[in-house]
């Protein structure tokens, strides 16, 4: 049994992507860890159910935000020490990654001792930032395109006494800010976002480079400096910023960007400006696949390596151009937030799995493909299984053609499909027993994988999986003491063929299928590292609304325990959001039931307004 657990740990790669936060206990359950303490996710799920919640739900572990903040802070502190770097490090969290107030409150709480600040990219985000408890010693930056209202909010922030920096994306913004300044007689500090020709690496590399939509060109930098000089505001410029895109897969691109920015930095200093900060943006990658590679779903480097490379390269540039070492501002979001939440869903059914031999119906005569499928099933062995499996695919097609032409009955077709399913299962069984991992045979893979229908929506739980093919590690939360004999493909309950997940972590990096157990009644599955971007990008496809939530944090005894729960959207909630307001629903329902004249039916109908939008599963729970 122990060796099966070890085997599953290896196959699901949890030690590669789990960052030591997630592990498997001796009972074969996935746990989340805080030092020596740990809690099984199935125990959290049981507690959620006791409180009336059901899957799918978001399990939140805010203490992992603290862990990531500390890891990040220590990486820069150590790097500064190693290279004797004099400038300070100021970390900001870009709130577009997760604006949830509860999340931001925990982040600011844990980040307080490091003067953790926030970055805003829109008016609404800035408003949220300004009403949050950002420490006075922390920096707030405003990125993105800004209208007068956005600029005015930033000025108001300054008037509230916050250390706020408006990062200029275009000349218009600068002249707009100066106009407000002339009225308000106060101005926030100013940063320039500079356009680099260095491109990021990975999926989001188009955020940078000569054609990027953000940043000032060299001509614009000179014009902006003229404007500042003209208004005697050169002193307010104290930061240069670039952001080369999210999920940087290769740290070399970051070094190249710093070197390029260093040249601009030196030129601006030469023109008489005292630049206090170099803001290198975000972009630290999360190793979702656990492969430590330059794949889009991975990152080749650790946070510590990233910090070392950044600090070393900046100090190198400073030495070369004889510059005072600036403070380093970072805006990493993904790596801070990703680990802290897991989407927990459960199995509805394995599609097609009900086709077992017990449903086979004897017939007087067997049509030829059925007879041959029977022979194939009975004579498969380790030597011939690949060939026999390919034969079976042809026989299944043959049977289908016969049926459409009217040459066999529905019973014949059903029998053939049942036999084919048995052959598939036997093929997998033999393949595993001889150590075949299917990596070499995409044709087999395609037919062998079974569809696991899970109670969730790809569009709402992991929208990046659908939008940009992002990989998220997925694995069962229990039963890991038993071998996983099936090859699965995860699909959701939306009426959309895009609602399927096509990429999975594996011991070899990435795979098109996931090892999973055979049919189980109680089979909770976790989709991990969903804390960055997913909740905000989530949409209402099929009116499957916001999921329920349960948070586990460190209690006053220093132990992990459930600290809060929240119900997800009801049918009423999602309908309201689409303008089916209560008055409309009630009057329409009244109209319909007037003809029926049965108050009991009417009441039963209306009671569904309070139901959770996702599937309600009736489990035969094993004790
Ligand atoms: C999105 C964004 C970030 C955050 O990037 P991550 O990859 O999440 O670290 C930082 N800065 C700016 C300007 C951004 O637009």
């Amino acid at each position: 049994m122990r060796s099966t657990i070890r085997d599953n740990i290896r196959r699901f790669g949890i030690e590669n992507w789990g960052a030591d936060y997630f592990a498997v206990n001796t009972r074969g359950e996935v746990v989340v860890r805080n030092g020596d303490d740990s809690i099984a996710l199935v125990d959290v799920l049981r507690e959620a159910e006791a409180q009336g919640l059901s899957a799918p739900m978001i399990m939140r572990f805010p203490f992992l935000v603290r862990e990531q903040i500390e890891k990040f802070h220590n990486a820069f502190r150590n790097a500064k020490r190693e290279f004797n770097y004099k400038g300070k490090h100021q970390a900001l969290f870009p709130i577009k990654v997760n604006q949830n107030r509860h999340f931001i409150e925990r982040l600011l709480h844990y980040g307080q001792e490091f003067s953790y600040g926030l970055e805003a990219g829109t008016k609404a985000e800035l408003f949220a930032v300004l009403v949050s408890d950002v420490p006075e010693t922390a920096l707030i930056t405003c990125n993105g395109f800004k209208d007068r209202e956005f600029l005015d909010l930033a000025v108001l922030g300054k008037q509230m006494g916050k250390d706020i920096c408006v990062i200029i994306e275009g000349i218009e913004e600068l002249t707009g800010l100066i106009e407000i300044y002339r009225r308000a007689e106060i101005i926030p500090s100013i940063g320039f976002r500079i356009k680099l020709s260095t491109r990021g690496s990975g999926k989001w590399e188009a955020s940078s480079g000569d054609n990027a939509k953000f940043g000032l060109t060299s001509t614009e930098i000179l014009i902006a400096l003229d404007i500042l000089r003209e208004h005697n505001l050169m002193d307010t410029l104290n930061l240069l910023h670039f952001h080369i895109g999210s999920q940087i897969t290769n740290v070399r691109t970051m070094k190249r960007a710093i070197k390029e920015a260093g040249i601009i930095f030196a030129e601006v200093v030469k023109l008489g400006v005292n630049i206090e900060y170099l803001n290198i943006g975000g972009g630290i990658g999360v190793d979702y696949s656990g492969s430590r590679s330059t794949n889009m779903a991975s990152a080749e480097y650790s946070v510590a390596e990233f910090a070392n490379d950044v600090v070393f390269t900046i100090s190198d540039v400073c030495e070369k151009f004889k510059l005072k070492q600036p403070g380093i501002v970072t805006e990493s979001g993904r790596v801070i937030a990703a680990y802290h939440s897991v989407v927990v869903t459960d199995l509805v059914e394995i599609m097609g799995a009900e086709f077992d031999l017990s449903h086979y119906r004897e017939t007087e005569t067997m049509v030829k493909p059925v007879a041959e499928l029977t022979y194939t099933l009975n004579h498969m062995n380790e030597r011939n299984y690949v060939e026999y499996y390919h034969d079976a695919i042809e026989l299944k097609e043959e049977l289908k053609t016969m049926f459409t032409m009217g040459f066999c009955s529905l019973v014949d077709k059903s029998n053939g499909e049942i036999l084919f399913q048995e052959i598939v299962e036997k093929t997998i069984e033999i393949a595993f027993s001889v150590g075949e991992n299917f990596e070499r045979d995409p044709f087999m893979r395609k037919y062998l994988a079974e569809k696991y229908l899970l109670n969730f929506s790809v569009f709402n739980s992991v929208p990046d999986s659908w939008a940009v093919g992002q990989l998220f590690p997925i694995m069962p939360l229990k039963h890991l003491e038993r071998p996983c004999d099936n090859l699965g493909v995860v699909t959701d309950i939306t009426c959309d063929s895009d609602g399927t997940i096509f990429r999975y972590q594996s011991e070899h990096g990435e795979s098109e299928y996931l090892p999973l157990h055979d049919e189980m009644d109680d089979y909770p599955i976790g989709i991990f590292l969903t804390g960055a971007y997913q909740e905000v990008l989530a949409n209402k496809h099929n009116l499957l609304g916001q999921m329920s939530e349960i948070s586990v944090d460190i209690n006053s005894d220093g132990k992990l325990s459930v600290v809060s729960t929240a119900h997800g959207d009801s049918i009423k909630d999602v309908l309201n959001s689409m303008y089916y307001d209560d008055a409309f629903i009630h009057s329409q329902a009244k109209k319909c039931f007037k003809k029926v004249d049965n108050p009991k039916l009417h009441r039963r109908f209306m009671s569904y307004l309070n139901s959770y939008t996702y599937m309600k599963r009736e489990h035969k729970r094993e004790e």
Side-chain angles (χ1 to χ4, degrees), residues 5-25 28-33 41 287-291 339 342 473-478 480 505-509 514-515 526 528-529:
I5 291 181
R6 266 199 304 277
D7 202 41
N8 280 326
I9 287 174
R10 182 175 49 75
R11 290 178 70 195
F12 287 104
I14 190 169
E15 290 178 342
N16 306 332
W17 52 260
D20 280 341
Y21 299 146
F22 300 103
V24 179
N25 67 15
E29 301 161 343
V30 175
V31 298
V32 61
R33 295 208 290 216
L41 271 53
D287 194 1
Y288 295 96
S289 69
S291 62
Y339 293 93
V342 178
I474 303 178
M475 69 183 291
L477 299 182
K478 60 196 262 192
L480 292 161
Q505 85 284 5
S506 84
E507 56 185 305
H508 307 291
L514 192 66
F528 291 79
L529 316 193

Side-chain angles (χ1 to χ4, degrees), residues 7 69 310 376 620:
D7 202 41
I69 287 177
V310 162
T376 305
K620 302 186 278 289

Side-chain angles (χ1 to χ4, degrees), residues 94 96-97 119 143 193 241 243 245-247 281-284 331-334 533:
K96 73 157 188 263
V97 178
E119 181 261 5
N143 282 317
R193 180 160 182 171
H241 168 57
H243 170 68
S246 204
Q247 189 68 12
I284 295 185
E331 298 178 337
S332 265
R334 182 187 295 275
Y533 296 104

Side-chain angles (χ1 to χ4, degrees), residues 21 64-73 335-336 339:
Y21 299 146
L64 294 182
V65 174
R66 184 204 62 191
E67 294 286 326
Q68 284 301 95
I69 287 177
E70 273 180 15
K71 192 186 268 186
F72 192 68
H73 175 82
V335 74
I336 299 297
Y339 293 93

Side-chain angles (χ1 to χ4, degrees), residues 332-521:
S332 265
R334 182 187 295 275
V335 74
I336 299 297
Y339 293 93
H340 98 283
S341 79
V342 178
V343 171
V344 172
T345 167
D346 61 354
L347 176 66
V348 178
E349 63 169 296
I350 303 174
M351 289 159 102
E354 69 275 23
F355 298 150
D356 66 54
L357 282 177
S358 66
H359 292 95
Y360 188 93
R361 289 162 204 262
E362 295 296 337
T363 51
E364 263 172 36
T365 52
M366 267 191 213
V367 292
K368 187 170 144 282
V370 173
E372 289 185 17
L373 283 166
T374 308
Y375 179 89
T376 305
L377 178 61
N378 292 336
H379 292 84
M380 282 176 91
N381 60 38
E382 291 178 8
R383 285 182 314 282
N384 66 20
Y385 77 98
V386 176
E387 185 194 334
Y388 273 35
Y389 172 68
H390 286 154
D391 290 347
I393 291 172
E394 268 173 41
L395 291 167
K396 189 181 170 219
E397 286 305 310
E398 203 178 304
L399 186 66
K400 204 160 85 184
T401 314
M402 279 178 75
F403 183 72
T404 38
M405 292 170 69
F407 293 154
C408 72
S409 69
L410 191 61
V411 171
D412 294 325
K413 184 164 178 277
S414 159
N415 283 346
E417 284 166 3
I418 289 167
L419 289 165
F420 182 75
Q421 185 64 30
E422 291 290 324
I423 290 168
V424 165
E425 275 164 29
K426 196 156 173 189
T427 305
I428 297 172
E429 196 180 305
I430 298 174
F432 276 142
S433 75
V434 299
E436 169 63 72
N437 63 24
F438 302 104
E439 293 292 312
R440 286 191 298 274
D441 193 342
F443 183 73
M444 290 195 72
R445 235 166 30 207
K446 177 166 168 233
Y447 282 92
L448 291 179
E450 296 189 75
K451 281 204 172 66
Y452 279 66
L453 181 67
L454 305 190
N455 186 13
F456 81 117
S457 154
V458 166
F459 306 90
N460 206 359
S461 303
V462 279
D464 271 340
S465 164
W466 161 67
V468 294
Q470 168 74 57
L471 182 154
F472 294 91
I474 303 178
M475 69 183 291
L477 299 182
K478 60 196 262 192
H479 302 310
L480 292 161
E481 77 289 2
R482 305 186 208 171
C484 293
D485 288 338
N486 280 7
L487 296 174
V489 166
V490 166
T491 190
D492 73 6
I493 59 169
T494 65
C495 310
D496 197 316
S497 49
D498 276 345
T500 299
I501 291 178
F502 298 102
R503 290 146 71 93
Y504 306 92
Q505 85 284 5
S506 84
E507 56 185 305
H508 307 291
E510 289 183 23
S511 172
E512 290 159 42
Y513 64 87
L514 192 66
L516 286 170
H517 295 91
D518 221 336
E519 187 84 71
M520 294 264 178
D521 176 52

